[in-house]
Every structure is written in structure tokens, then in C-alpha cells.
């Protein structure tokens, strides 16, 4: 996570947003109203946030990319999302690790989670009001993932691509 401070004093994750999402919502950055989702935002000069976060929080440790999800069916077809070590939240909200913001049939909050620990990928169903389908099989708890598995959340299909052994020596 790369925390950055905008000219208005808002702190945001520069790995997820090119410019301050708070200023975009309030139209403080001078964007056109039609650009409130940041599709056409230009880079804004920002200063790195000065945060005193101790090592006990673990914020200074960068997580490695361990896989990828590619949208193969739905409103966001072609979009790709990196999966990192640990927990990766999937949902429609912009603060999710896999933010399917244009997919109306995906839960706004955590629809599902993909966890990577001990060289294993696990898909967890989180929103019991919505379905999670893995390779045409409805899941109701957790299921281990393999390379090229297809995950279906509502009308959105995602193909899981694992990084394989690129981090092993």
C-alpha cells in the first residue's frame, strides 16, 4: 500500500488511485461532473503522506503479487486485477482489492475473498445473499483454487491465473 496525501490533505492509496478519490467525489480536483469515477483523471502532483506507522503494524512490508484475476464475462470484460499475499477482497466497492465497480450483480461489500497462504489459494464465499460459483459448481464455504479456474459472481466471470513458482528459488 502506498499512502499519499493530496493537496487538500486527504490520504489515499496511490497504488489503487491515480489521484485523490475524495477530491473527485467532492469535485475539488476540478474534474468534469461526468468524470466522478476517475476514468479520465490526470496525474496530480501529491506529497507522500508522513505517517508514523510502527513495524508492529506491518504496513512497511510490501506484499508480493502471487496471481491474477481477469474478467472474462460481464460489464468489465478484459479488466485484470493482481492478487497479493494474504487476503484479497472481491466486491463492487472501490475499496476492495478486486474492485468490480461496474458489475451490478456483484455484492458491494465482500462478495468473496481469495486468500494466499502457505502456497495455497483459497476462495471463500462471504455474502450469503449472493452466489459464488467455481467451475460451474455452487460453493457455500471455502474451496481451494487451481490455475485457470473460473469464478462466477452474479453475471461476472473471472479467470484465476496463479503466479506459479516464480517466487521459489
Amino acid at each position: 500500500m502506498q499512502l499519499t496525501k493530496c493537496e487538500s490533505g486527504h490520504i489515499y492509496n496511490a497504488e489503487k488511485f491515480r489521484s485523490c478519490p475524495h477530491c473527485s467525489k467532492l469535485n475539488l480536483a476540478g474534474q468534469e461532473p461526468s468524470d466522478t469515477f476517475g476514468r479520465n483523471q490526470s496525474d496530480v502532483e501529491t506529497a507522500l503522506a508522513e505517517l508514523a506507522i510502527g513495524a508492529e503494524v506491518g504496513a512497511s512490508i510490501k506484499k508480493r503479487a502471487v496471481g491474477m484475476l481477469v474478467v472474462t464475462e460481464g460489464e468489465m470484460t478484459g479488466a485484470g486485477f493482481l492478487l497479493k499475499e494474504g487476503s484479497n477482497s472481491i466486491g463492487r466497492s472501490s475499496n476492495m482489492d478486486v474492485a468490480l465497480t461496474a458489475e451490478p450483480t456483484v455484492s458491494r461489500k465482500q462478495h468473496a475473498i481469495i486468500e494466499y497462504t502457505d502456497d495455497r489459494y483459497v476462495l471463500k464465499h462471504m455474502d450469503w445473499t449472493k452466489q459464488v460459483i467455481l467451475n460451474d459448481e455452487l460453493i457455500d464455504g471455502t474451496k481451494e483454487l487451481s490455475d485457470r479456474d473460473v469464478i462466477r459472481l452474479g453475471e461476472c466471470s473471472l479467470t484465476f491465473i496463479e503466479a506459479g513458482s516464480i517466487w521459489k528459488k
Side-chain angles (χ1 to χ4, degrees), residues 68-82 98-103 156-159 161:
M68 184 175 192
L69 283 178
V70 178
V71 181
T72 53
E73 190 177 324
E75 297 294 321
M76 296 179 67
T77 299
F81 300 92
L82 282 179
V98 179
L100 301 169
T101 55
E103 297 291 345
C156 178
S157 289
L158 304 120
T159 298
I161 302 168

Side-chain angles (χ1 to χ4, degrees), residues 110-128:
Q110 290 180 333
H111 195 127
I113 290 177
I114 293 178
E115 286 188 348
Y116 176 80
T117 52
D118 302 324
D119 295 328
R120 291 179 54 226
Y121 303 88
V122 177
L123 175 66
K124 290 185 177 182
H125 185 189
M126 299 302 290
D127 184 352
W128 301 107

Side-chain angles (χ1 to χ4, degrees), residues 44-55:
V44 176
E45 197 63 40
T46 58
L48 195 58
E50 296 177 19
L51 297 176
I53 298 176

Side-chain angles (χ1 to χ4, degrees), residues 9-129:
H10 301 121
I11 296 176
Y12 65 95
N13 184 351
E15 290 177 357
K16 283 188 157 186
F17 301 100
R18 292 177 53 163
S19 61
C20 179
H22 308 291
C23 290
S24 296
K25 287 179 184 172
L26 299 173
N27 202 19
L28 297 175
Q31 285 96 4
E32 294 295 317
S34 62
D35 190 30
T36 55
F37 292 109
R39 291 186 186 101
N40 303 313
Q41 289 181 7
S42 60
D43 289 330
V44 176
E45 197 63 40
T46 58
L48 195 58
E50 296 177 19
L51 297 176
I53 298 176
E56 67 276 0
V57 176
S60 62
I61 300 171
K62 293 229 180 213
K63 294 181 179 181
R64 299 181 299 179
V66 295
M68 184 175 192
L69 283 178
V70 178
V71 181
T72 53
E73 190 177 324
E75 297 294 321
M76 296 179 67
T77 299
F81 300 92
L82 282 179
L83 299 174
K84 297 184 178 181
E85 293 174 308
S87 182
N88 297 273
S89 301
I90 306 170
R92 199 170 74 235
S93 178
S94 63
N95 66 344
M96 297 286 122
D97 298 303
V98 179
L100 301 169
T101 55
E103 297 291 345
T105 58
V106 172
S107 179
R108 185 174 322 260
K109 296 189 178 173
Q110 290 180 333
H111 195 127
I113 290 177
I114 293 178
E115 286 188 348
Y116 176 80
T117 52
D118 302 324
D119 295 328
R120 291 179 54 226
Y121 303 88
V122 177
L123 175 66
K124 290 185 177 182
H125 185 189
M126 299 302 290
D127 184 352
W128 301 107
T129 64

